[in-house]
Amino acid sequence: MPRDPVCGMIVDVDSAIKRRIGDRTYYFCSEACARVYEQPELELKAMKRRVALALTGVISVAALRVLAMFGLIAAMMAFRVASLSAWDLALFIISTPIIWVAGWNILYGAYRALRDRYINMDVLIASGVLAGWGYGTISTFLPWLGSEGFGYMETAIGILAFILLGKFIEENVRRKSAANIRRLLELQPTLARVLRDGQEVEVPVDDVQVGDVIVVKPGERIPVDGVVIAGHSLVDEKIITGESIPVEKGAGSEVIGGTINKSGLLRIRATRVGDETALAQIIRLVEEAQASNAPIQRFADKVVGYFVPLVFTVAVASFLYWLFTTGFTHAFLVSLAVLLIACPCALGIATPTAILAGVGKGAEYGILLRGGEYVERARNLTTVIFDKTGTLTRGEPKVTDIIPVGDYSREEILRLAAIAEKGSEHPLAEAVIKAADSMGLEIPDAESLEAIPGEGVKALYRGHKIILGNRRLMENNGVSTAHIEGKLVELEEQGKTVMLLAVDGEIAGLIAVMDMPKEEAAEAVKQLKDMGLEVMMLTGDNEQTAKAVAGQLGIERVIANVLPWEKVNIIKRLQSEGKVVAMVGDGVNDAPSLAQADIGIAIGSGTDIAKEAGGIILVKDDLRDVVKAIKLSKITMRKIKQNLFWAFIYNALSIPVAAAGLLTPLIAAGAMAFSSLFVTINSATIKLQKL
């Protein structure tokens, strides 16, 4: 059964109000909830008007009551029009527009629910409001059928005012919780400047096709995901990555829709449009999370299913008891109080409001919680497993050591190696070229090059024979390595890949390359350990390299040389041991592991969002966000439990009090509104938490 994303009520698919927004269908219990979701600002203004009308009625009735107390309108109270009390007529005139105009959304929601044969919160509220107003009206116009209407219509107005005011405050809090999410929708430009037949033409962004060339001027938002084909600029990607420093973009650079072109003119070829853009994917994931609920909510839903009929039973039993002991008027007010104070609003919104607040808080940090089930699992988490390459490490090798042998300098070693590797697309070659570029070395072309697969390269430069590669390449070319074997083994034991450089048959130096850990990796691992979690590494890399990286990061348990499907089996084995496992990976080759884990945490750039299989997605490539995501999940779950506890305790204590005749309907309505407001505000305090 789907859940109303606004009020949290379970709704029937066939009878619910449906709205198609983007590529998803949402189900609502009432038109009011649908309007709140579709047009929150307009509906908030309408709610404000309804509250103002109801409060005006309350003030008017209170003013009349004060005047009556001082005997200033005693004549009016005694005056009759066609045998009808002028006082009661005045109350009827004041209350009728308030009940039927300000309270229309609630009354109509109750009508739809009863028509579709289910009971929601609107039914309970409408029952109380209409009972008070209806009996007051009957007593006014048909006084011989009952007691005077004195008090009933005032009670109905007060009940409605309390409830509408509570809903208004609650919606204000909810709207602020969702502000970061709603703001995402405003980041997508509505127009794009596209090159058509050599001319720049402005078209709606929905009309942009993959392959179109888009012109983006300085200061404009980039309309869709794409690749820069011409131009150079700085792009502010803070909305996606959270990084405050603009990123330099040139030909071949990827750009993300919604980010801001800061300085130069860019021409971009569209690669993802519409619902496939990174921003659209983020919005979709956030919306899915908002509409989801934790498994703990299923228990609350079952309770509500039995609870509502029980409330009506208690109300009827209370009415009958007090009818035969004290009379109709008191019995009526007691049953009214039972109906109002028992309204399970707090139960219905306990989970959705906390999830909404948690999702909103996560959006500030680039943390996307995909659903309540992952939030609930986080509280029992015992083990966090990291992939190595691209997750704990940068995913690209970097030159770490340059060791000259003989009379060569470090710069000469690197320069000769770069000459031999120039033009190669091998990752080790790229590491050498980048290192040479960073040192400002000139890299001329070699006179000849020969690549030997699995061994290295041979080059000829200014009559000198350059050989760069592994031991086998040296052996095959008669180059002795015995005198540098000790250093070679030492570097390899550190998990580094070592390239040997020989010039004219003699070893000239060693260049060690390693996929370096990310700067924040060690800090993230330490924080997880401080939380009492076991941290492991699971990688397809060789054991020596894996242990070297793990040693730098403080990870004791390493499982290496495993293929993607073998990772899944290892996670299953850990789960069979009773461990609750989170898997952190880059979301591509780790997708099976992310799916198998109790909590899959996919880490990577915004453009990879569509590929992710995790239950929690980290937009930024920062491992410290793993810690923040787990903390946020636990905070959100704690709020859900607090909300449900409060809601259950509130109803368990308040219903007997109301049934005992110790509460007036007005106080009951106020208490019910307060309970919902308390749950909403308690959820909103997630916004104040520091991760």
Side-chain angles (χ1 to χ4, degrees), residues 280-429:
Q281 294 288 337
I282 291 172
I283 292 170
R284 178 183 302 147
L285 292 172
V286 169
E287 288 178 337
E288 287 173 355
Q290 287 183 47
S292 72
N293 62 291
I296 194 172
Q297 182 66 16
R298 295 172 193 160
F299 172 67
D301 294 338
K302 288 181 180 179
V303 171
V304 171
Y306 292 107
F307 180 77
V308 174
L310 178 63
V311 168
F312 278 104
T313 302
V314 172
V316 171
S318 301
F319 175 80
L320 293 175
Y321 172 79
W322 291 108
L323 176 65
F324 291 111
T325 55
T326 61
F328 177 83
T329 300
H330 184 66
F332 180 80
L333 294 175
V334 168
S335 61
L336 202 58
V338 171
L339 285 176
L340 292 171
I341 204 162
C343 184
C345 301
L347 280 174
I349 65 174
T351 296
T353 53
I355 293 290
L356 176 63
V359 169
K361 181 69 175 179
E364 294 180 22
Y365 290 88
I367 299 169
L368 305 182
L369 305 176
R370 295 190 69 172
E373 59 185 293
Y374 303 105
V375 171
E376 183 165 350
R377 291 173 189 171
R379 64 175 173 163
N380 297 319
L381 192 63
T382 62
T383 306
V384 179
I385 301 176
F386 284 95
D387 172 50
K388 182 180 78 71
T389 307
T391 302
L392 286 170
T393 65
R394 298 179 181 279
E396 56 182 31
K398 179 182 179 181
V399 172
T400 59
D401 302 88
I402 304 171
I403 301 172
V405 176
D407 297 330
Y408 290 91
S409 67
R410 295 176 74 254
E411 289 76 10
E412 286 178 305
I413 297 298
L414 187 58
R415 180 171 175 270
L416 291 172
I419 291 171
E421 295 283 24
K422 189 176 181 180
S424 173
E425 295 181 356
H426 192 281
L428 296 181

Side-chain angles (χ1 to χ4, degrees), residues 2 17-28 291:
I17 294 170
K18 303 175 182 64
R19 290 288 190 273
R20 184 77 177 175
I21 302 174
D23 63 343
R24 296 190 64 219
T25 299
Y26 296 86
Y27 300 89
F28 302 92

